[in-house]
Amino acid sequence: MLAGAFALALVLVRPGLGHADEEASRLKLRALIEEGDLILEEAHRLQPAADQLAADGVRLEAEGTSLQAESAGLNETTVKFNATTIELQRQVKAHQAACPGESEDKALVESCNARARELQPAVSAHEEQRPVLQQRQQSLQQGIEAHNAARRDWAARKRDLDPKVQANRKDADYWLGEARAFLAGDGFRALANKAGAPAACAPRTLGDLASPPADAAVGRAHACLKAVAGALR
């Protein structure tokens, strides 16, 4: 009698072990979902700032290239302007040396006056370029200062954002490792079968969870876990 009772007790205990395994799997399922919620929420919160930072970085790079080209062009124009200034000054000095203030030499006077009439328009036209060139230099300097200020702001935002993004990615990588192990286990497979094998958990939908980008893999694995949990309610 004692042996029979003991054997019956063993038979009755076995279903309880299966129930405990299922409950442990359900607890793991809920824990992964809750952790995944936090990771995805943080990633979603950080994404606008990350997108803006990336867009600003591209814009600042293009702006910097444009300013460099503008600076090079302005430097070339300035060098030519200065060379023309030196040449005109040389010609004016040569004219002054060749032409005294007064002379009885009629031919010399006529020659000097003709040369003066030639030089004056050239000097005037050249001098008209000076304020235009100065304005370009001032505008470029303002553009460079604004660009440098924008780059400092961008760098400060990047220093603030990068650690948060890296921490989120580290959490996502760890969570993904835990989720992959759970998804490959017998406990999850039993829950998924009981939930009617949701489409979100189909191999084609899940894809390769080990392939980057990790945030996309987290989203797919999380969707599968939530689909199973939702069907089991």
Side-chain angles (χ1 to χ4, degrees):
M1 290 293 291
L2 289 175
F6 186 70
L8 179 60
L10 288 177
V11 171
L12 292 174
V13 167
R14 286 175 185 167
L17 290 174
H19 177 74
D21 289 342
E22 180 179 332
E23 187 59 28
S25 296
R26 284 175 177 265
L27 288 173
K28 180 66 173 178
L29 176 66
R30 285 195 293 271
L32 283 170
I33 290 173
E34 290 172 3
E35 293 167 5
D37 283 339
L38 294 175
I39 291 169
L40 290 172
E41 286 170 7
E42 177 68 359
H44 181 72
R45 186 184 69 81
L46 295 173
Q47 195 60 51
D51 289 343
Q52 187 63 56
L53 192 69
D56 288 347
V58 172
R59 176 181 59 79
L60 286 169
E61 191 67 28
E63 185 179 87
T65 300
S66 177
L67 285 171
Q68 288 176 350
E70 184 179 351
S71 178
L74 183 56
N75 286 340
E76 183 178 352
T77 300
T78 301
V79 168
K80 291 180 179 178
F81 178 86
N82 291 338
T84 301
T85 299
I86 292 171
E87 175 58 23
L88 286 173
Q89 289 174 345
R90 185 192 68 76
Q91 292 181 27
V92 168
K93 288 180 180 178
H95 175 263
Q96 291 172 342
C99 299
E102 295 182 1
S103 177
E104 298 296 330
D105 188 337
K106 184 178 180 180
L108 178 61
V109 170
E110 290 179 353
S111 174
C112 286
N113 288 341
R115 179 57 178 156
R117 287 193 294 272
E118 290 177 358
L119 282 174
Q120 190 57 49
V123 171
S124 297
H126 180 68
E127 285 304 311
E128 287 176 359
Q129 298 177 36
R130 188 181 298 277
V132 176
L133 195 57
Q134 290 172 338
Q135 179 58 42
R136 284 183 61 189
Q137 290 172 333
Q138 182 179 357
S139 178
L140 176 61
Q141 184 61 34
Q142 290 173 346
I144 291 174
E145 290 174 358
H147 174 75
N148 289 340
R151 286 202 70 91
R152 288 192 296 271
D153 173 72
W154 181 86
R157 287 186 287 132
K158 189 174 189 297
R159 284 194 300 271
D160 177 67
L161 183 64
D162 278 356
K164 298 175 184 177
V165 171
Q166 290 169 6
N168 181 252
R169 288 176 178 169
K170 184 177 179 180
D171 290 343
D173 287 340
Y174 178 80
W175 182 92
L176 197 55
E178 292 287 302
R180 285 202 304 266
F182 180 64
L183 290 169
D186 293 337
F188 174 75
R189 279 195 288 268
L191 292 179
N193 289 334
K194 193 170 185 178
C201 298
R204 184 174 181 179
T205 304
L206 274 177
D208 184 2
L209 297 179
S211 298
D215 54 348
V218 169
R220 296 195 305 273
H222 187 257
C224 168
L225 297 175
K226 289 188 73 173
V228 170
L232 291 175
R233 287 176 184 171

